[in-house]
Amino acid sequence: MAIAAQPQMPRVWRAESKPHKFCPGCGHGIVLKALGEAVDALGIQERTIFGCDIGCSLLSWDFFNLDTIQTHHGRTTPVLVGIKRARPELVVVSYMGDGGAYAIGAQHLVSSASRNDLVTIIVVNNTVYAMTGGQMAPTTLPGQKTETTPYGRDVELTGRPMLGPELVAAIAPPGAYVARGSVANVVQLKNYIQKGLENQIQGRGIAFIEALSSCPTNWRTNAAETWRFLEKEMSAYFPVGELRTPEEKPAARLREVPAHGPKP
Amino acid sequence: MATKPITGEQRAFMTGNEVVAWAALAAGADIMYGYPITPQNEIMHYWTRMAPKYERAFLQTEDEISAGFTTVGGVLAGKRAFTATAGPGNVLMQEAMAMAEMMRLPTVVVVTQRGGPSTATVIYSQQELNLTCFGGNGEGLRIVYSPASHDELFTYVIKAFNSAWKYRFPTFVLGDGYQSKMREPVTLFDPEERGINMEVCRPMVGLPGLPGEERDPAHLRNTYNLEDELYQVLTDSIREYEAMASEVAEWDAWSADEAEVLVIAHGVVSRAARAAVEALRQGGVQAGYFRSITLRPFPVDALRPLASRARHLLVVESAYGQLQRLVQASLYGLETPVSGYLRPGMGITPEEVARAVHSLI
Amino acid sequence: MALNLKIALAGEGGQGVQSVAEILTEAAYHAGYQPLYIPNFGVEQRGGVSVAFVQISEAPVSAPKFTTGDIVVALSHRAVERARQYVGPETLLVFDASLADDVRRVYGEGQKSLAVPALAIAKEGLHPRVFNVIILGVLVGVTGFLERRDVEQALERQFGHKFAQDPSLKELNYRALERGYLLGSERLEVGNRI
Ligand SMILES: Cc1ncc(C[n+]2csc(CCOP(=O)(O)OP(=O)(O)O)c2C)c(N)n1
Ligand code: SF4
Ligand SMILES: [Mg+2]
């Protein structure tokens, strides 16, 4: 497969594993393209470690010419945090789905955010558990039908959609970078991811980027309906934009505090 | 009260996951807790479609740690509660099951084994025998049924609820991905119409009366201060486990006496083993067949005499010796040689079993 | 010897091999047989070749999967290769006639086989969406153990709601079944052998 034949392919893409394994119309490929371009732009291919979760993200285990580890469902962030603590010169990327990040891996997200771990986390929000066939995810919209909410998501019984970036933005110490992008705006998404990688490289703190994404297979939608749901319904519930930048003045209660402790 | 999900006997042609959902409904299960994982998913899918019609409940938890512990909560509250999982989910569930084992909580878990270790495959294996029988930091005081057909899946899911509530040990139905996803004929029935009475489920917390005045408060613990205290609790549990073992242990055997080669299997592999032994017998080979239906407690008393009169034992399993180790441990001291046809994560056909038998004689 | 048929069907995701397996086993079940059907599944099945394992017997079937089929159906380039492992010297290989070159390349000249111009018939005479129903008809014809009525009833159970909305669809499906059946029954050899 000649690389020249595919001019938009980021340099860090691995030609041998293309065409990729995602379904037609899937957002995962677009998010990975944005990540690839950001890695290219920063020239960090040699020292970037890519970690993918179990979810449709697992299909990216051979996607890049990057050293890559496929971990367990929900456990990608701790594996990469472990690497980062042992080899701080590396740049670590934790790539996962909304189920991996906000359900089974929520404890790791909360802890890494509070520790301000130097890791760049990218979460693909497609409102479902895609890999397992379309069950409810923490991000499933109210009323949305899934395999485990066959009569529509009832917020009285199952709660409301999780707002991941808002959660991380609320608990992370100063220096964190938090944003929500969308596959509907790849340039902006790439920009967010690049800022997230820089945040880690500069040692400021955690970087967390959620990407609104499409799953036509489990939504059972055609192209037009896929885009309508993504652009109208998802972006209305999950506002796109930057939630925390390292430059901003953190809220008073989040400011660094002197050491405390009882003095016996 | 909603109508019964099944009346009379109903023949159907369906997948194993559908059978499990129907069995739980027929058994009067009140609530399912669960987290998606292949190949178990459709148990939840069918349950979430049917449960509201019969006033049953469902909670999708944030992971299997939670699914295990919410199931623990459900049985503490006196409900016939269950969950279903597989592979890495079964690993996470062991924490809650260790608590259930210690506190004698009648949890029911349906396991649909997939390839391991790690995420491995979503397809099939028999590699979760060790985990399901002995997972957790305990002694394996559990009841584990290994069904081999859709009819048995139906029967043993119902039985699992009864054994759990009768004996108060966490109870498992150890299926696999093949059984989950395959379609075959099955007969569904209402347990009561077959004379099966469902054990009464009594709550352990939230009992009537003012605690401390009208009744003793329920103070349920799993932590002990002294080694002796723990030892006493465990000794009592172990004694009760051993006392019920002969009542609970189940097995199946065919032309097993004085066999040249006694083929031992469990679960779906036992179908291939049985077919192979029948074919071998027709061809004049003195083969025999033994299958453990309960893996915990293991049917030692049934197997030992047959094994002692056989020339060879051949353990056949889709794992690397997990059943074989159970067999060898229960036959310690016998001189009959034991070999294995061990195919971790792979299906096994009758032809392969027959070849393995031939290679021994 | 009693009926004991093993059929593996392989095709691309959209070709409907799983529905063929489902309808065939449904029909066999209602006709009093003991069928067992299991699809292949995995994490990459969306992009991969879809395989259905079907066994139909008078007694309960032993193992869910098998190593060699009595009939193996291959409906795409990739399926021709993927199905190789289930084909033995006695196996009847059923394939879409457009794949003749692939079959020759992978299996040589000696393989017992039946080329069915299902794609062409579907496109020209019927409709591409009933491609798999033609294949279903071929299997019913070639094996000869089912009445056409059994299969029509199974189709009805599967697609009844769609037929109700659009009666012409029912007619289309029945015609596809008929065309396949005629092609298959000319080669009723598997049924004869067992
Ligand atoms: C411990 C454990 N539980 C469950 C699973 C099954 N599982 C695999 S992927 C997945 C969900 C994937 O959803 P998400 O994280 O949103 O990613 P997506 O596929 O939607 O991109 C689940 C539940 C697993 N692999 N491990
Ligand atoms: S199932 Fe959905 S998320 Fe997974 S690859 Fe297909 S479209 Fe993408
Ligand atoms: Mg998702």
Side-chain angles (χ1 to χ4, degrees), chain A residues 72-73 136 147-148 151, chain B residues 35 41 45 49 60 62 118:
Chain A
H72 274 195
H73 183 40
M136 183 184 78
E147 288 291 349
T148 49
Y151 308 108
Chain B
Y35 189 73
N41 289 312
H45 300 176
R49 272 159 191 74
Q60 184 176 320
E62 65 276 25
S118 188

Side-chain angles (χ1 to χ4, degrees), chain B residues 32-51:
Chain B
M32 175 180 188
Y33 304 91
Y35 189 73
I37 189 158
T38 311
Q40 165 281 129
N41 289 312
E42 295 82 9
I43 299 177
M44 287 187 322
H45 300 176
Y46 289 114
W47 181 263
T48 51
R49 272 159 191 74
M50 302 194 292

Side-chain angles (χ1 to χ4, degrees), chain C residues 8-80:
Chain C
L9 299 100
E12 296 301 312
Q15 286 184 313
V17 295
Q18 302 301 340
S19 334
V20 172
E22 229 171 274
I23 296 165
L24 189 67
T25 49
E26 263 288 319
Y29 165 69
H30 284 278
Y33 294 96
Q34 295 266 358
L36 191 152
Y37 151 52
I38 186 166
N40 75 322
F41 54 101
V43 290
E44 285 177 27
Q45 60 179 319
R46 290 172 199 105
V49 173
S50 182
V51 185
F53 299 87
V54 167
Q55 297 180 72
I56 296 161
S57 172
E58 267 144 35
V61 171
S62 55
K65 288 190 183 170
F66 47 83
T67 31
T68 310
D70 300 309
I71 303 178
V72 169
V73 182
L75 299 180
S76 72
H77 295 284
R78 294 195 301 173
V80 169

Side-chain angles (χ1 to χ4, degrees), chain B residues 102-126:
Chain B
M102 170 61 99
M103 302 180 74
R104 305 286 303 272
L105 304 177
T107 50
V108 169
V109 181
V110 177
V111 177
T112 60
Q113 298 171 94
R114 54 186 258 174
S118 188
T119 315
T121 75
V122 300
I123 304 170
Y124 160 84
S125 85
Q126 294 190 314

Side-chain angles (χ1 to χ4, degrees), chain C residues 21-174:
Chain C
E22 229 171 274
I23 296 165
L24 189 67
T25 49
E26 263 288 319
Y29 165 69
H30 284 278
Y33 294 96
Q34 295 266 358
L36 191 152
Y37 151 52
I38 186 166
N40 75 322
F41 54 101
V43 290
E44 285 177 27
Q45 60 179 319
R46 290 172 199 105
V49 173
S50 182
V51 185
F53 299 87
V54 167
Q55 297 180 72
I56 296 161
S57 172
E58 267 144 35
V61 171
S62 55
K65 288 190 183 170
F66 47 83
T67 31
T68 310
D70 300 309
I71 303 178
V72 169
V73 182
L75 299 180
S76 72
H77 295 284
R78 294 195 301 173
V80 169
E81 308 221 359
R82 175 76 164 73
R84 181 81 194 90
Q85 64 189 107
Y86 309 113
V87 176
E90 294 298 309
T91 305
L92 174 69
L93 178 71
V94 177
F95 60 95
D96 189 82
S98 63
L99 301 167
D101 289 344
D102 294 281
V103 169
R104 211 168 303 118
R105 183 171 47 79
V106 179
Y107 297 87
E109 298 290 344
Q111 187 63 45
K112 204 164 76 170
S113 64
L114 173 60
V116 183
L119 267 176
I121 295 174
K123 261 200 217 124
E124 282 149 31
L126 299 160
H127 189 283
R129 66 196 282 185
V130 293
F131 165 68
N132 64 338
V133 181
I134 301 175
I135 298 296
L136 173 67
V138 170
L139 289 175
V140 175
V142 126
T143 55
F145 72 97
L146 283 173
E147 303 287 327
R148 231 174 323 159
R149 204 189 47 239
D150 299 327
V151 188
E152 286 174 1
Q153 282 169 1
L155 270 176
E156 195 74 41
R157 271 188 298 274
Q158 189 91 350
F159 300 124
H161 55 291
K162 289 189 186 158
F163 292 172
Q165 282 167 8
D166 180 0
S168 72
L169 207 61
K170 174 170 169 171
E171 198 249 345
L172 185 67
N173 272 275
Y174 279 36

Side-chain angles (χ1 to χ4, degrees), chain A residues 22-23 26 28 56 59 126 130 214-218, chain C residues 46:
Chain A
F22 304 105
C23 311
C26 176
H28 270 284
C56 287
L59 302 175
N126 54 15
S214 53
C215 176
T217 299
N218 287 296
Chain C
R46 290 172 199 105

